Amino acid sequence: MNAPYRIQGATGEWEVVIGLEVHAQVTSRTKLFSGASTEFGAEPNTQVSLVDAAMPGMLPVPNVECLRQAVRTGMALEARINPWSRFDRKNYFYADLPQGYQISQLYHPIVGEGEVEILTDEKDEGSAKRIGIERIHLEQDAGKLMHDQHPSMSYVDLNRSGVALMEIVSKPDMRSPEEAGAYIRKLRSILRYVGSCDGNMEQGSMRADVNVSVRRPGAQFGTRTETKNVNSVRFIMAAIEHEANRQVDVIEGGGTIVQETRLWDPDRAETRSLRSKEEAHDYRYFPDPDLLPVELSDDFLAECRASLPELPDAKRRRYETVLGLTPYNAAVLTADVTTARWFEELLAALGDSHAQRASNWVTGDLFGALNRLGRTIEDSPVSPAQAAGLLRLTADGTLSGTLAKQVFELMLETGDDAEKIVEERGLRQTSDTGAIDKAIAEVLAANSDKVAEYRGGKDKLFGFFVGQVMKAMQGKANPAVVNELLKKALG
Amino acid sequence: MTGLTDLGIAAIRDGVRSGDFSAREVAQAFSAAVEKGRALNAFTVETPDHALAAADAADAARAAGALKPLSGVPLGIKDLFATRDVRTTAGSRILEGFEPPYESTVSGNLFAAGAGMLGKLNMDEFAMGSSNETSAWGPVLSPWRRSDGGNAPLTPGGSSGGSASAVAARLAPGVTGTDTGGSIRQPAAFVGITGIKPTYGRCSRWGMVAFASSLDQAGPMARDVRDCAILLEAMAGFDPKDSTSLDLPVPRWEASLSADVRGKRIGIPREYRIDGVPAEIDEVWEKGIALMRDAGAEIVDVSLPHTRYALPTYYIIAPAEASSNLARYDGVRYGLRRAPPNGNLTDMYEATRAAGFGAEVKRRIMIGTYVLSAGFYDAYFNRAQKVRALIARDFERAWETCDLLLTPTAPSAAFALGEKSNDPIAMYLNDVFAVPASLAGLPAISVPAGLNAEGLPLGLQLVGRALDEQSVLDAGLALEERAGFAARPEAWW
């Protein structure tokens, strides 16, 4: 176990208490209550329906796919699914909110309490900790203000207006920036497995409101602040660290923490006050009279459950116990769904019996190459089928380890299959004893002094002869055959 | 032969079908009446071309043997319904100049059934009012005058005041209305016509400018029960674009219409006898009870114990929903915009809404904001929701002993413009008999039942079980036949 995270203040140690409200954009073709597209990156105001623009008399109609995604997410987080939920209106005026209210779920969210297991130390499987989920509710995203289009006015882009978000609210169960980081990464991983959110933090598909308070270790909760809309794991961790230290400074300086909403400024790496509790909006939540309560049938719930894929924890355990992978390889290969999918496609082509070797190759050779090329596995130049071809050639002895690395490099360069490269370039490993014997004879003849030394008892020179023979064979000789024949020749 | 504008929906439909006259003649006659009736201020927009185009289509359809249910029938459309490319303001300055690029489901249904549009009908601003005096475009006048010789301009009621006046003055054979807390029934009673609010969810609210979403319901207003049945059949129906619309087939109300109410049990709710209601209201009610008894119905005494809480409950829930529904009128995307020089976003909101909304709308937004605000939500909105459930339960219990309820529609005959406009509470009391059925989402009709001593119409209301519009219409027809209401206002406009 790690030592607990503590802030060393002038007056002693402080414990940090963290809760996260993660806003995750639901993967669905259309918006939560309208038929407009949700695709990212379109021209401003081209994906806006009459409903999204809040034209008079327009009415929201729930998108069942969004409900389904929220339910599936809840199930993946082992959460209670509420078969009866309801949408409420959260009322406030702002230019990015055409209706003058956001449709959300305050009183009766679609998903209740659940849990996420994290490792507080990635390398220590014994460091597992369960972080409670308070609830998941569905709500509409707002539009986007553009302040750089006109000297004195702001423009509004309503493409995002009405896009479905899941707000995943954790319990205040995290105690360090690292735990918060691990939680976000794990949550992101699960959402991506489930396919309910693409987890793309750069495009804003996932962002978090960070609640932080400090207290003497084990004491009552302190007053919390909420830092809004932090959009990367790194920033979330930095915001927690900064905010916790700020709070300690305030308290130790004789001040008190005010409950307030704060902003994260990534350029200055600090949080600053946005509005205090006194200035907080009165949102006047009330049940949206345009919408009926959401009632989920048993059939619907069963279909949602049946559609869930194997989740990262289960997959990792299976990789270790059934496929026999090392804990490290299992963890690396299951952390992201794209990697796991890639690996499983490879196994499908190669066969599970090669899993260990394949896992070493993916985590070693492939990841090394991708890293070097600045690519992700999604745009890997080598497909799982091609990788299976390469690994098959090493398994059947066609390629030695050295040759395999050469062939892989050529695959990365040309995009060709391993078989084609081996064929065209004659990179096949040879066990042709005649050719190897000839090379051995040449090497021994050219190094008669060393032969004498070897025969005189200098066993270590054997490796030298192997190297020379392999070199003479341009690396294509089967090392086992070389060893055997050399031993014979050296008597 | 009577003039074409004296004909109702059924007569026009049947006359066009049988070739007694062309749809074009009908459209022209009513469009001329609309033009001649401008002094009533019933229409905010006149659309004779729309009516004419539909009429020509109807005449062509007749020639082709492909008439639709409302072919040849020109209608007035309350300005709460969005009409494609035709100015739609909901009686408010804040929607000044707004021409929707879409057609409301209800008006679209009517047009798809062959009807044409004579124009958009004036109304209380955002349907908030009972006298049409809150319209940004000036009050509608009732075609009726008191028989005392005084020429005090009277209200046609509200909020569907333009609708009521247009039908009573024969400017349109039928119209759409909307009813949130009596806005179809009270004006129908005030001008001596028939209007029905169907069960909540029968008619789609899509494209209908929202006042109070959980109460708003469209319905027809026309000269008689049969015409209302015909129109309602065309207006109603499931709409996937409105989550609260009922996914049920539309009954053949007209074909099933029957004035036979023998054996029907008609409940008389004792809580509807309210102190301070003029004697003429009790008298017309007693007359109605006698007529229904004569028709073979069984009259039973029933109790709706939470009736006295209905009005305050309504005046919490409706403004609460309205305060949120009207937040979209912010000057950003459509309608009026007032942007003070050097002002910021909030300044624009404030200036736009200050200039765009009238006093009654502002009052209700403030009431609604108040009852939803932190610290007051439980005491007002939440409690009102609970009382609403109790009121609905009152009706459920009443249906154990009766099939329909008979009550007055409004607590008085039409009053003069200005008479109550400075006293919101007195104005709100107009809805006292209407709001319980609205809160419970039940179908309710107002049928003219007689004239008071001043020669003004008085209406009676029949309320039925949810989805039982048929019984409501049937009993309405029985009442209509026996009351024999034939009075009509003398044209002064």
Side-chain angles (χ1 to χ4, degrees):
Chain A
M1 269 309 261
N2 292 346
Y5 178 85
R6 293 285 185 262
I7 291 176
Q8 303 297 329
T11 62
E13 290 197 333
W14 296 86
E15 185 181 22
V16 186
V17 175
I18 304 149
L20 295 176
E21 296 168 22
V22 173
H23 299 260
Q25 182 179 329
V26 175
T27 301
S28 77
R29 218 171 36 77
T30 57
K31 296 182 180 180
L32 183 52
F33 296 111
S34 86
S37 169
T38 57
E39 207 173 315
F40 180 79
E43 286 294 303
N45 294 313
T46 54
Q47 297 177 167
V48 185
S49 77
L50 296 169
V51 176
D52 307 325
M55 301 299 281
M58 291 301 100
L59 298 171
V61 176
N63 176 349
V64 177
E65 179 59 15
C66 296
L67 302 176
R68 191 173 158 272
Q69 291 287 39
V71 168
R72 294 174 72 245
T73 304
M75 287 172 166
L77 301 178
E78 296 162 49
R80 188 164 46 82
I81 308 300
N82 293 323
W84 192 96
S85 65
R86 203 177 61 188
F87 286 102
D88 302 302
R89 291 187 185 175
K90 177 181 183 178
N91 295 283
Y92 64 98
F93 283 95
Y94 201 54
D96 63 6
L97 190 72
Q99 291 170 137
Y101 54 85
Q102 177 196 35
I103 305 178
S104 180
Q105 297 188 298
L106 175 69
Y107 297 106
H108 298 280
I110 190 162
V111 176
E113 292 185 323
E115 268 186 346
V116 173
E117 188 181 287
I118 61 165
L119 295 180
T120 56
D121 176 357
E122 266 182 74
K123 293 179 186 70
D124 178 8
E125 288 209 67
S127 70
K129 175 174 177 178
R130 300 186 82 80
I131 306 297
I133 300 289
E134 179 71 38
R135 56 187 280 160
I136 303 177
H137 64 255
L138 282 165
E139 63 185 26
Q140 297 175 299
D141 203 352
K144 197 177 80 182
L145 292 187
M146 298 182 287
H147 301 293
D148 53 359
Q149 310 283 311
H150 186 278
S152 62
M153 285 194 278
S154 292
Y155 282 27
V156 193
D157 174 9
L158 295 180
N159 282 353
R160 286 192 73 88
S161 167
V163 164
L165 301 178
M166 289 182 280
E167 181 167 328
I168 304 168
V169 183
S170 85
K171 298 196 170 180
D173 286 353
M174 287 156 275
R175 295 291 178 269
S176 69
E178 287 68 32
E179 284 185 22
Y183 168 77
I184 285 281
R185 281 191 298 268
K186 186 59 175 287
L187 191 61
R188 182 174 180 276
S189 166
I190 294 173
L191 296 180
R192 284 176 50 79
Y193 265 77
V194 170
S196 58
C197 171
D198 66 20
N200 194 326
M201 297 187 90
E202 296 78 47
Q203 292 180 1
S205 301
M206 229 179 125
R207 46 196 201 264
D209 297 344
V210 182
N211 288 284
V212 173
S213 63
V214 296
R215 62 177 180 183
R216 294 297 184 188
Q220 295 267 312
F221 285 143
T223 302
R224 68 186 165 86
T225 63
E226 181 181 16
T227 303
K228 295 291 241 188
N229 267 328
V230 190
N231 67 352
S232 84
V233 177
R234 195 162 54 86
F235 290 161
I236 288 167
M237 293 171 66
I240 292 167
E241 197 178 347
H242 170 271
E243 178 58 18
N245 279 288
R246 186 193 68 85
Q247 291 187 11
V248 167
D249 288 349
V250 168
I251 297 169
E252 292 192 331
T256 49
I257 300 303
V258 283
Q259 191 178 329
E260 62 180 354
T261 303
R262 300 180 67 85
L263 273 184
W264 169 249
D265 181 341
D267 299 327
R268 303 165 75 172
E270 63 179 32
T271 66
R272 55 170 190 272
S273 184
L274 184 64
R275 55 177 181 262
S276 71
K277 192 185 177 186
E278 288 71 36
E279 301 166 82
H281 294 121
D282 179 353
Y283 291 121
R284 309 188 310 281
Y285 279 99
F286 74 107
D288 191 326
D290 284 334
L291 293 161
L292 299 176
V294 178
E295 293 180 64
L296 305 174
S297 70
D298 291 346
D299 285 352
F300 180 82
L301 294 174
E303 186 276 319
C304 287
R305 195 167 289 286
S307 75
L308 285 183
E310 184 182 36
L311 294 169
D313 286 347
K315 200 181 277 296
R316 198 186 68 227
R317 276 193 296 276
R318 180 169 64 84
Y319 280 12
E320 286 182 37
T321 56
V322 179
L323 299 181
L325 306 195
T326 63
Y328 174 80
N329 278 359
V332 169
L333 290 174
T334 56
D336 188 74
V337 69
T338 319
T339 311
R341 249 184 233 140
W342 204 98
F343 179 65
E344 290 187 3
E345 267 183 63
L346 169 60
L347 279 195
L350 195 62
D352 280 2
S353 57
H354 298 280
Q356 290 180 47
R357 216 160 49 81
S359 74
N360 288 331
W361 183 83
V362 171
T363 55
D365 296 34
L366 179 65
F367 283 4
L370 293 175
N371 240 342
R372 203 170 68 230
L373 298 172
R375 293 203 183 202
T376 65
I377 199 152
E378 268 160 284
D379 57 358
S380 163
V382 171
S383 74
Q386 287 178 309
L390 176 65
L391 290 172
R392 222 180 279 119
L393 292 176
T394 53
D396 69 9
T398 308
L399 293 178
S400 64
T402 322
L403 272 180
K405 285 190 199 304
Q406 274 187 50
V407 172
F408 181 46
E409 285 306 318
L410 290 166
M411 290 169 77
L412 293 171
E413 271 172 37
T414 62
D416 285 343
D417 290 349
E419 293 83 348
K420 186 176 174 221
I421 291 169
V422 166
E423 214 49 59
E424 285 180 4
R425 311 205 181 203
L427 288 175
R428 186 179 297 279
Q429 163 175 278
T430 179
S431 303
D432 177 345
T433 50
I436 296 172
D437 273 336
K438 185 166 168 264
I440 288 173
E442 281 165 18
V443 167
L444 298 189
N447 296 284
S448 50
D449 52 336
K450 294 232 169 43
V451 172
E453 280 177 50
Y454 177 84
R455 288 188 174 138
K458 213 168 174 187
D459 292 353
K460 278 183 192 157
L461 280 169
F462 188 75
F464 165 79
F465 295 120
V466 172
Q468 290 300 306
V469 174
M470 289 302 282
K471 194 175 165 192
M473 293 294 294
Q474 293 163 308
K476 286 184 252 174
N478 182 330
V481 176
V482 171
N483 275 352
E484 196 192 319
L485 295 180
L486 240 174
K487 273 204 179 111
K488 217 182 272 172
L490 286 167
Chain B
M1 187 186 159
T2 50
L4 288 172
T5 56
D6 287 324
L7 301 177
I9 307 282
I12 292 168
R13 176 192 66 185
D14 298 345
V16 167
R17 178 160 295 157
S18 59
D20 297 346
F21 41 79
S22 70
R24 192 179 178 84
E25 291 172 272
V26 175
Q28 284 170 332
F30 277 105
S31 288
V34 168
E35 203 181 319
K36 192 159 171 284
R38 282 180 186 157
L40 295 167
N41 199 25
F43 284 83
T44 54
V45 184
E46 295 171 12
T47 55
D49 292 346
H50 190 291
L52 215 53
D56 288 345
D59 288 332
R62 179 176 182 271
L67 283 168
K68 296 175 186 170
L70 291 177
S71 284
V73 178
L75 299 171
I77 303 294
K78 187 178 179 179
D79 203 25
L80 203 63
F81 295 91
T83 41
R84 186 191 299 275
D85 301 331
V86 176
R87 197 170 73 228
T88 300
T89 64
S92 182
R93 194 167 296 286
I94 208 154
L95 274 171
E96 201 168 59
F98 176 59
E99 293 183 0
Y102 48 93
E103 187 74 49
S104 79
T105 298
V106 162
S107 55
N109 285 350
L110 290 167
F111 301 154
M117 174 166 65
L118 293 161
K120 299 299 291 290
L121 292 159
N122 200 352
M123 54 180 283
D124 278 300
E125 184 176 9
F126 285 106
M128 297 178 192
S130 304
S131 68
N132 229 284
E133 289 164 287
T134 72
S135 169
W137 320 121
V140 177
L141 303 187
S142 170
W144 293 84
R145 293 274 166 91
R146 287 177 178 138
S147 58
D148 60 6
N151 272 337
L154 300 180
T155 173
S159 68
S160 309
S163 303
S165 228
V167 173
R170 308 291 203 256
L171 311 187
V175 295
T176 62
T178 66
D179 191 315
T180 304
S183 281
I184 285 176
R185 293 161 284 161
Q186 181 255 23
F190 275 17
V191 302
I193 65 168
T194 303
I196 181 170
K197 178 194 90 72
T199 308
Y200 181 80
R202 274 286 189 206
C203 293
S204 169
R205 294 184 295 113
W206 193 88
M208 199 170 94
V209 175
F211 161 18
S213 310
S214 75
L215 296 154
D216 295 344
Q217 190 50 210
M221 299 163 76
R223 295 210 195 121
D224 59 28
V225 172
R226 177 170 301 275
D227 285 359
C228 281
I230 294 168
L231 288 179
L232 185 57
E233 239 175 270
M235 292 165 72
F238 174 60
D239 180 1
K241 292 186 287 189
D242 174 2
S243 306
T244 62
S245 97
L246 295 165
D247 191 0
L248 294 169
V250 178
R252 305 285 308 274
W253 288 305
E254 189 202 3
S256 308
L257 206 53
S258 159
D260 185 357
V261 292
R262 284 174 299 176
K264 287 272 183 191
R265 297 165 304 167
I266 295 188
I268 309 302
R270 68 180 77 114
E271 290 81 5
Y272 280 50
R273 297 194 189 278
I274 298 170
D275 286 345
V277 168
E280 64 191 33
I281 297 299
D282 272 342
E283 284 159 20
V284 76
W285 194 6
E286 289 306 327
K287 176 185 164 192
I289 293 170
L291 292 176
M292 296 310 283
R293 190 182 286 120
D294 286 350
E298 184 191 338
I299 304 298
V300 295
D301 178 51
V302 298
S303 173
L304 301 169
H306 296 92
T307 298
R308 69 194 181 98
Y309 303 112
L311 205 59
T313 297
Y314 174 85
Y315 276 98
I316 289 171
I317 291 174
E321 294 182 8
S323 71
S324 176
N325 283 334
L326 270 57
R328 65 187 56 200
Y329 305 105
D330 56 9
V332 174
R333 298 169 309 287
Y334 44 75
L336 186 79
R337 174 188 292 176
R338 288 286 157 83
N342 304 317
N344 62 21
L345 181 67
T346 306
D347 298 329
M348 184 180 87
Y349 286 159
E350 289 178 357
T352 300
R353 290 166 69 84
F357 289 138
E360 182 60 27
V361 170
K362 286 175 187 164
R363 176 169 18 245
R364 296 202 196 187
I365 289 174
M366 285 190 281
I367 292 171
T369 303
Y370 179 80
V371 299
L372 288 175
S373 57
F376 299 102
Y377 180 83
D378 283 333
Y380 291 101
F381 186 77
N382 224 3
R383 179 159 301 187
Q385 293 282 62
K386 288 176 186 160
V387 177
R388 183 177 185 176
L390 292 176
I391 288 166
R393 204 179 61 187
D394 280 357
F395 283 103
E396 285 306 314
R397 296 219 169 126
W399 303 138
E400 291 167 12
T401 55
C402 68
D403 304 305
L404 293 156
L405 296 168
L406 178 66
T407 78
T409 305
S412 73
F415 46 91
L417 293 181
E419 212 168 274
K420 297 186 179 178
S421 47
N422 293 321
D423 183 351
I425 301 295
M427 191 67 90
Y428 296 171
L429 280 171
N430 262 284
D431 303 325
V432 67
F433 299 132
V435 293
S438 294
L439 289 167
L442 302 174
I445 198 169
S446 177
V447 175
L451 297 176
N452 71 359
E454 294 173 311
L456 296 181
L458 297 172
L460 288 175
Q461 170 179 242
L462 286 151
V463 182
R465 292 185 176 92
L467 304 177
D468 193 12
E469 283 85 359
Q470 192 68 59
S471 293
V472 172
L473 290 162
D474 287 353
L477 184 62
L479 185 61
E480 174 184 293
E481 287 180 357
R482 281 174 174 73
F485 184 89
R488 54 182 287 186
E490 222 167 292
W492 50 261
W493 54 90

